[in-house]
Amino acid sequence: MRSFVLRKMEFSLSEEESNFTNSELLVLIFPFVLPFRVKSWADAFGGELYSIATKYSGSLLLQKKYKDVEPTLKIKEVDGLELVKKFSEQMESMLRRKVEAVERLVEAAEDADLNHEYNSSLEFDYYNSLLINEKDENDNYVELGDEFILEPNEHFNNLLVNTTYSDIQLPTNVYNKDPDILNGVYMSEALNPVFVDNFERDPTLTWQYFGSSTGFFRLYPGIKWLPDENGVISFDCRNRGWYIQAATSPKDIVIIVDVSGSMKGLRMTIAKHTIVTILDTLGENDFVNIIAYNDYVHFIEPCFKGILVQADRDNREHFKQLVEELQAKGVGTVNKALTESFKILREFRDAGQGGLCNQAIMLITDGAVEDYEAVFEKYNWPDRKVRVFTYLIGREVTFAPNVKWIACNNKGYYTQISTLADVQENVMEYLHVLSRPMVINHDHDIIWTEAYMDSALFASQAQSLLLMTTVAMPVFSKKNETRSHGILLGVVGSDVPLRELLKLAPRYKLGVHGYAFLNTNNGYILSHPDLRPLYKEGKKLKPKPNYNSVDLSEVEWEDRDEIKRVLFLTNDYFFTDIKGRLMWNSLHDLLQPDLSLANEWIYCITDIDPDHRKLSQLEAVIRFLTGEEPDLECDEELVQEVLFDAVVTAPMEAYWTTLALNMSMESEGGIEMAFLGTRAGLMRSALYVGSEKLSNRKFLTRKDKESIFTMDHFPLWYRRAAEHPPGSFIYSIVSEDDSGNFSLNARREKRRRWAPVGVQIKLELLQRKFWMAMQQVGAPLSVQATQCSWSAGAGLQCVMHSGGIFIRAAVKFILKDFGRASLVLEVQPVPHTLMQTSSLWSSDRVCSPLPPPHAAHRHKKHDTLQPCDTEYPVFVYEPAIKETNGLIECGDCQKMFVAQQIASSNLLLLVTDATCDCSIFPPVLPAHNASVKCDRMRSQKLRRRPDTCHAFHPEVQLWDCRGELRALCTLYAQPLLPHTWNNRIRVGKER
């Protein structure tokens, strides 16, 4: 709550109220007064504000300048669908270049392996990223640590890199001189010239790399790798999402964990770590559930009983939390858990849900003694559509034959995990099994990963631009003698910052209310201006748990701190055509000290040529226009627009300077800054006080991302001005130090060129002007006001709702056809009861049922895929209602109020009765409904599955289930289970 005293009156403006809608509230507490008196106060105060803002912003001058040049403008309608198609084509072309770079790496790696003869005694020195540039006590370079030149490079976030050579990273638990490692590193030296050639062909490429199945990671450009605080390098390329997704097809997984009493202590700790590691191998294209069993079977998340859920980041993190709560007790009986798992997988497969590719059960136990063969005979044999992977926990080997039998007779793999250190390597084995059908077929599928965070950009970019994606492809052995073994050599990949894609959808072509966003085949956001993937913990920014599994419906309207702002808008998209002579003669207007350009916008491409990277966008534009840099590639349309704006707004500098020289600090002290912005990303500003006296020094600086033009949004003050009628002022508090930002939408009418212009003033001046206005109209200043704490609570919200100043509306996202969609606002009557106002924060998701299998491939009208229609009830400020009054029941008394709109602004003056205390009103809290939450968690969103699937191949042999087949059969010669030799051999041949 901000409050200050106007002599004997209290004036209060709360954070909650100022953000509640597009209007702001000025609240006074008096004994009840007549409405016509309140109107006179509002008119007087509004007149004072309008006079100050008009004079010191220079809005009338700016309006006149734009009106004078209107005859030279040519207005052109922009077709939104055609525009997005054009952007899509440009993005496809850019992404295709990334794919081609990866394809060249795959070809080079496979050819190098084909021509390489394995040498078990190979000796070879390579650049180890941990050891490069390290010296011993004799000042000699350590082994594998020769001199490796590193230089800062802006294209790679100013990290120290070597753009002529790659180097090798290894996890701490991988021996850097192992023969497999040395042979792989030696073979992959052939990638170095390809890395460099790719970067020369496409300078927008970032990191390129090869992750080997043996554990080494070749990275270009080469960098120095630093261990963590414990001196350990835990990064293992084989655990990364891009590696796993490229090496395997989509998976439906049910994890079964034994929580019987024998699993207490270290065994339970290892089991939990194994589950978490398995979860880390899953992605958005996979589906999963976890079942725990002892005397009975239970799903660790009851809401997910009987189904599989998408293994997005949100669900994976949710499962990890539940796994930590597992406790060991009782007696383990695995049959019921296996039966439940097979039923779930079969139901999903038959219904066309899930990944529709690989299906597997992961059994984590310290032993199995039951007669479980009947379960497999009933649910999995003879087709064996579900693989079963088994993990024996602990050092005890008594039950090893039983657990091996389960895996080997169900096309799976068996491992024994005795320590926590064993977990990572043993879990990864199941991926090798799943990859073999694809490897034998030599299917080079291209995969694009889910979005992930680039932590190096935390401090330098808008939150919505922090994410990246990776394009990756598998690398196979081409040698004939290894083909049937399905040997995966590794995966190559390249990172693609999403900001590079958004450069192809420039802000000036989209307009203030237009924006570009990207989402995955699963409907999750890759990039969106309103995506906020970080949260603040103390002074540190950290990624939110579900930062890369955010649904489009969750960011399609502003929703900060559970406060929604909604209004009715008509968006016009246009651009101007300026004569060439005006463009060239106006160059000097770009050189004025009060002018700046949006440095994140691409007026000229400066990140390809190293000599251009030091230039700001303004410097690049000037050099382009003067011919100093003939090689610069610039957007001539955008440059023309910004030159036009520079000419039209040039007189503002002289106007502001004259005002500053003639200001009276006694009567006008508190006016600090004037500023304007144009659609082309041009900004002008002028100080009326010294910079050291600014109450908000961050405003309009690069640190103040919300208030400047960035790649993904127009400034907040610009957007708010554009939402309101021409000629009106938009008032808002912009800092916590009693300074205010007043901005004006200077557009005269539809379709005309316009630019918001505003002033920043201190609230102290607002106090003085309010006091003067009250004196002019004879306000009852002898009355002592009380503290206005009630105004921030639910009571005031009820006043606003019941008074008719706000109307209820429902926001819906509706698909019109393939290529067009709309956000629709449906107006409804406003509820008059306090309980109903809680719907302000509630949401109601109504989704179409899933289509039958393969419905996406049919073209009948009734088979068209429909999105999940999402409805959000909100409240919209109704400007047509100029004033209202009424009574609010507050227990033993009635609170009277009068609300009056202040003309030419977004302000409301609310006068309330001080004698009735409404602080007993209960707060309005978000509605929480456990069943609704569960329904949303269980919902299976419509999605586009990956195009390919590699589940089985007839050439895959049984030997890979852990150990050689003949030795395994000899082990089973003992009559442990009721099955026959012939059956075992037959099963092996079928695989």
Side-chain angles (χ1 to χ4, degrees), residues 233 413 450:
I233 295 183
Y413 195 88
E450 61 194 40

Side-chain angles (χ1 to χ4, degrees), residues 650-790:
M652 300 302 293
E653 181 192 17
Y655 178 86
W656 288 333
T657 301
T658 302
L659 283 179
L661 293 174
N662 296 301
M663 278 182 64
S664 168
M665 286 298 105
E666 290 186 8
S667 61
E668 296 159 322
I671 298 174
E672 300 182 338
M673 176 192 294
F675 57 91
L676 65 84
T678 75
R679 183 174 172 271
L682 177 147
M683 284 186 60
R684 290 186 183 272
S685 62
L687 296 181
Y688 289 117
V689 297
S691 59
E692 72 284 353
K693 294 183 179 180
L694 284 174
S695 54
N696 181 16
R697 298 182 188 181
K698 182 182 174 184
F699 185 58
L700 299 186
T701 66
R702 289 193 180 185
K703 292 182 179 179
D704 183 16
K705 289 288 184 181
E706 278 297 306
S707 295
I708 64 172
F709 293 88
T710 66
M711 184 179 292
D712 69 333
H713 68 245
F714 282 71
L716 179 60
W717 50 267
Y718 191 109
R719 300 197 305 269
R720 295 198 69 188
E723 294 165 357
H724 285 262
S728 64
F729 287 87
I730 311 303
Y731 300 86
S732 62
I733 294 177
V734 296
S735 72
E736 297 179 356
D737 46 17
D738 290 341
S739 65
N741 165 14
F742 296 177
S743 55
L744 166 69
N745 177 348
R747 181 175 55 177
R748 296 293 295 172
E749 62 181 57
K750 265 189 171 184
R751 294 185 175 275
R752 290 189 177 178
R753 186 85 186 186
W754 60 279
V757 60
V759 291
Q760 177 177 306
I761 74 171
K762 298 189 71 171
L763 288 180
E764 294 171 2
L765 179 60
L766 184 71
Q767 288 177 273
R768 295 200 303 270
K769 294 298 180 180
F770 189 87
W771 168 244
M772 293 170 58
M774 295 300 100
Q775 282 186 317
Q776 293 173 9
V777 295
L781 303 181
S782 60
V783 180
Q784 177 66 46
T786 61
Q787 180 69 21
C788 185
S789 60
W790 176 77

Side-chain angles (χ1 to χ4, degrees), residues 414-666:
Y414 158 83
T415 60
Q416 183 169 1
I417 305 178
S418 303
T419 68
L420 287 171
D422 296 338
V423 172
Q424 191 71 56
E425 201 70 28
N426 284 318
V427 165
M428 295 301 296
E429 292 294 344
Y430 95 86
L431 295 172
H432 296 159
V433 175
L434 295 184
S435 71
R436 287 190 178 110
M438 175 181 65
V439 177
I440 293 175
N441 279 331
H442 274 229
D443 291 317
H444 289 93
D445 293 341
I446 301 168
I447 66 100
W448 292 89
T449 67
E450 61 194 40
Y452 62 93
M453 191 73 70
D454 183 357
S455 57
L457 297 178
F458 271 25
S460 61
Q461 300 291 340
Q463 283 200 34
S464 59
L465 301 177
L466 296 177
L467 302 184
M468 306 180 77
T469 184
T470 291
V471 56
M473 290 180 67
V475 180
F476 309 132
S477 172
K478 289 182 176 180
K479 296 175 180 178
N480 291 331
E481 64 272 20
T482 63
R483 181 179 176 88
S484 62
H485 294 173
I487 293 179
L488 175 74
L489 298 177
V491 173
V492 296
S494 180
D495 291 344
V496 181
L498 296 173
R499 68 190 317 272
E500 294 296 327
L501 286 172
L502 291 184
K503 287 179 181 178
L504 303 176
R507 293 296 315 159
Y508 81 96
K509 289 189 176 181
L510 296 169
V512 61
H513 293 303
Y515 52 88
F517 62 90
L518 304 168
N519 59 331
T520 69
N521 64 298
N522 290 296
Y524 294 134
I525 293 296
L526 276 173
S527 179
H528 192 289
D530 289 326
L531 181 64
R532 301 287 184 268
L534 302 179
Y535 74 99
K536 210 164 191 178
E537 188 176 274
K539 293 185 178 180
K540 291 185 177 180
L541 287 172
K542 293 187 175 182
K544 296 176 182 176
N546 66 329
Y547 75 84
N548 62 355
S549 55
V550 178
D551 189 77
L552 176 63
S553 63
E554 298 175 59
V555 294
E556 269 303 287
W557 37 84
E558 188 168 340
D559 182 9
R560 299 181 185 176
D561 299 326
E562 298 183 335
I563 298 165
K564 294 179 175 64
R565 294 174 54 250
V566 181
L567 65 156
F568 296 94
L569 289 176
T570 300
N571 295 337
D572 295 311
Y573 299 88
F574 56 90
F575 67 90
T576 58
D577 184 11
I578 299 119
K579 302 299 181 184
R581 185 172 56 83
L582 172 64
M583 180 182 76
W584 294 103
N585 289 344
S586 63
L587 176 60
H588 69 279
D589 289 319
L590 285 176
L591 303 175
Q592 302 306 312
D594 69 323
L595 182 146
S596 64
L597 296 185
N599 209 46
E600 290 187 14
W601 287 21
I602 310 300
Y603 299 86
C604 298
I605 298 175
T606 59
D607 60 351
I608 293 180
D609 189 331
D611 293 335
H612 295 158
R613 289 175 185 160
K614 63 182 182 295
L615 300 176
S616 69
Q617 284 296 316
L618 179 56
E619 291 170 338
V621 168
I622 292 172
R623 294 195 182 194
F624 169 71
L625 294 174
T626 57
E628 292 182 43
E629 296 284 351
D631 295 334
L632 269 170
E633 183 180 342
C634 297
D635 186 329
E636 294 192 12
E637 180 183 332
L638 180 56
V639 170
Q640 285 180 344
E641 288 203 29
V642 82
L643 284 172
F644 173 80
D645 288 338
V647 171
V648 176
T649 62
M652 300 302 293
E653 181 192 17
Y655 178 86
W656 288 333
T657 301
T658 302
L659 283 179
L661 293 174
N662 296 301
M663 278 182 64
S664 168
M665 286 298 105
E666 290 186 8

Side-chain angles (χ1 to χ4, degrees), residues 309-363:
V309 293
Q310 196 167 9
D312 56 38
R313 187 183 182 93
D314 206 5
N315 285 334
R316 296 197 306 266
E317 294 302 316
H318 182 60
F319 274 130
K320 289 178 184 179
Q321 293 176 5
L322 297 173
V323 166
E324 287 303 313
E325 300 171 5
L326 292 176
Q327 296 182 350
K329 59 183 177 181
V331 179
T333 54
V334 72
N335 277 0
K336 291 181 180 178
L338 286 170
T339 299
E340 188 72 29
S341 302
F342 279 119
K343 285 181 178 179
I344 294 171
L345 293 169
R346 183 176 62 187
E347 289 171 3
F348 258 60
R349 184 170 63 243
D350 293 345
Q353 298 181 5
L356 289 184
C357 191
N358 289 292
Q359 290 197 323
I361 294 172
M362 308 298 199
L363 175 59

